[in-house]
Amino acid sequence: APQLRPWERKLSAAVHRGLYFLMVIAPLAGLLSASFTKYPMKFFGLVLPSVGWPESTLLNAVFNNLHKGAVWTLLLFLVLHVLGAIHHGLRRDGVMSRMFPRNAG
């Protein structure tokens, strides 16, 4: 197993936890935002069933802002993740080999 520096281990764990958290929060906040409008929710053109909650400009704005913030943060974490992979690939420290199955093919 590759030896990671303590700061690398902490940053890696934080980014991975953040990615999973944001992959749940971003779509959930978007769903909740859309739930408080009079417009039907669509997913790739498919109309989703309405939750039936009353219209609320305030709740729509709150969840819309949460959705946007979560998506931008997810993008930032994705960039950090890719930069980390490039960093380890250039260092040839064994981290990249853990990501790919042995004897593939």
Side-chain angles (χ1 to χ4, degrees), residues 1 18 27 44 47 51 58 60-61 65 78 90 98:
F44 292 105
V47 177
V51 179
L58 174 64
N60 173 261
N65 287 329
L78 181 61
L90 293 173
R98 287 183 8 202

Side-chain angles (χ1 to χ4, degrees), residues 37-96:
T37 69
K38 63 181 177 183
Y39 304 105
M41 284 184 274
K42 292 183 180 180
F43 182 71
F44 292 105
L46 244 116
V47 177
L48 299 177
S50 173
V51 179
W53 289 332
E55 251 183 89
S56 171
T57 305
L58 174 64
L59 289 174
N60 173 261
V62 167
F63 287 116
N64 191 14
N65 287 329
L66 177 62
H67 174 69
K68 288 177 185 175
V71 169
W72 281 107
T73 306
L74 180 59
L75 181 61
L76 171 68
F77 275 50
L78 181 61
V79 168
L80 287 173
H81 189 68
V82 169
L83 289 174
I86 291 169
H87 167 76
H88 289 292
L90 293 173
R91 271 186 38 194
R92 298 178 188 263
D93 58 6
V95 171
M96 294 297 287

